Amino acid sequence: MGVKFTLMGTTAGLGVPAFHCNCIACREARADPFWARTRSGAVLETGKENILIDASPDLSKQLLRERIQSVDYLFVTHWHYDHFGGIGDLEYYVKLERKWPVALFLPPSAVDDFAKVYPFLEEVFVIEPWEFGKSYAFEGIELTVLPARHSIETGGILLAGSKRAAYFTDTAGLPAPTARQLQGVDTLICDATFNGANWFPHSHMNWQEAIALGESIRAQHTVLTHLAMHYSTPITAAQLQEKLKDYAQVSLAYDGMVLTI
């Protein structure tokens, strides 16, 4: 039996719908809350421990929705607000319920930034800089941080259990050594930020580029995430689903999507 891996959030910095936006994607999400998307993050539930990957500004809402009542570890992939803005949501969980610190794995370049932004969380977390290529063993799963290609130091996550899955929400393709390590992965969950023109080709991908990446590493299944439905050319989830009918091994991520690894 594999480990449960839940995509708690599946969009980029604004969320869908955005409070200020009335594009077709935001109208769709308001009409059907299933297509509403919170900022990207995920959780591994091993049965003994819960491991968060990123802490979006929507973290508290996500934990409530997925009925996650404990957190044991937190890996932050990179120091952009939509991936760390919910760290403070764990403060009173630790102080009032858990009673001992959560292990927080940060990019080495973000350790000083964390201390500046969250000096009041000194007793809430035990800080450890993660290392590229280092594997962390948990019950039934091994987690390895690998280099992504983004605007700042960023790690993607390789999960190895009964299957292999790669979680790369913010990346413009992959560095060659990472791509070699991910060859033949069972599931690639990756950055598909844009529909149409890619505004930031050195940091993100559009959905066609994400599909091409999955094909290039021979992923058995590619899941498109970090979807900013209003960026570049707005598109609804229904419209994107229609386009994906031509790709048998490609799926559209949604909040609460569960994979078994």
Side-chain angles (χ1 to χ4, degrees):
M1 184 175 179
V3 170
K4 182 180 178 182
F5 185 59
T6 303
L7 304 184
M8 297 203 299
T10 56
T11 191
L14 293 180
V16 179
F19 73 91
H20 55 82
C21 185
N22 197 40
C23 75
I24 57 173
C26 289
R27 293 200 300 272
E28 177 192 49
R30 289 189 184 101
D32 184 354
F34 177 79
W35 292 118
R37 298 176 185 277
T38 55
R39 271 71 65 92
S40 290
V43 61
L44 273 168
E45 297 175 73
T46 70
K48 290 189 175 181
E49 298 168 314
N50 295 328
I51 302 113
L52 291 182
I53 301 174
D54 288 332
S56 89
D58 305 303
L59 180 62
S60 184
K61 180 196 301 184
Q62 293 167 342
L63 292 170
L64 283 166
R65 188 193 68 221
E66 299 305 325
R67 300 184 180 183
I68 304 294
Q69 294 184 297
S70 63
V71 174
D72 300 288
Y73 302 89
L74 169 58
F75 284 80
V76 173
T77 60
H78 63 294
W79 200 248
H80 278 162
Y81 178 74
D82 55 324
H83 293 261
F84 74 77
I87 283 177
D89 288 357
L90 297 177
E91 178 181 6
Y92 288 101
Y93 157 67
V94 170
K95 289 180 176 179
L96 300 179
E97 181 67 26
R98 181 179 166 90
K99 305 293 188 182
W100 72 93
V102 167
L104 172 56
F105 295 86
L106 290 173
S109 58
V111 172
D112 289 343
D113 291 328
F114 173 85
K116 292 174 185 175
V117 175
Y118 295 111
F120 55 92
L121 296 182
E122 186 177 82
E123 298 178 355
V124 173
F125 296 103
V126 175
I127 306 299
E128 182 175 333
W130 50 245
E131 300 175 33
F132 285 129
K134 181 176 179 178
S135 295
Y136 302 84
F138 302 100
E139 183 76 19
I141 197 86
E142 188 174 80
L143 183 157
T144 306
V145 184
L146 297 175
R149 185 179 289 154
H150 196 44
S151 56
I152 61 172
E153 182 180 50
T154 301
I157 305 295
L158 174 61
L159 300 169
S162 59
K163 299 178 182 178
R164 291 200 309 150
Y167 183 67
F168 282 73
T169 62
D170 289 59
T171 195
L174 293 171
T178 300
R180 285 194 293 270
Q181 284 187 260
L182 298 188
Q183 284 293 315
V185 72
D186 292 285
T187 304
L188 171 67
I189 306 144
C190 74
D191 184 325
T193 301
F194 293 98
N195 175 59
N198 183 350
W199 292 349
F200 302 108
H202 301 296
S203 296
H204 293 290
M205 295 184 287
N206 64 27
W207 61 268
Q208 293 99 330
E209 291 167 330
I211 291 171
L213 176 62
E215 292 172 345
S216 73
I217 65 168
R218 296 182 294 109
Q220 301 301 304
H221 182 205
T222 299
V223 178
L224 307 181
T225 195
H226 203 265
L227 298 149
M229 310 298 291
H230 23 224
Y231 284 177
S232 198
T233 304
I235 188 170
T236 67
Q239 290 169 335
L240 187 49
Q241 290 274 36
E242 186 65 27
K243 292 177 182 291
L244 295 181
K245 285 183 178 179
D246 294 333
Y247 303 93
Q249 304 304 320
V250 179
S251 300
L252 195 62
Y254 56 86
D255 285 20
M257 186 176 192
V258 175
L259 302 164
T260 301
I261 301 170

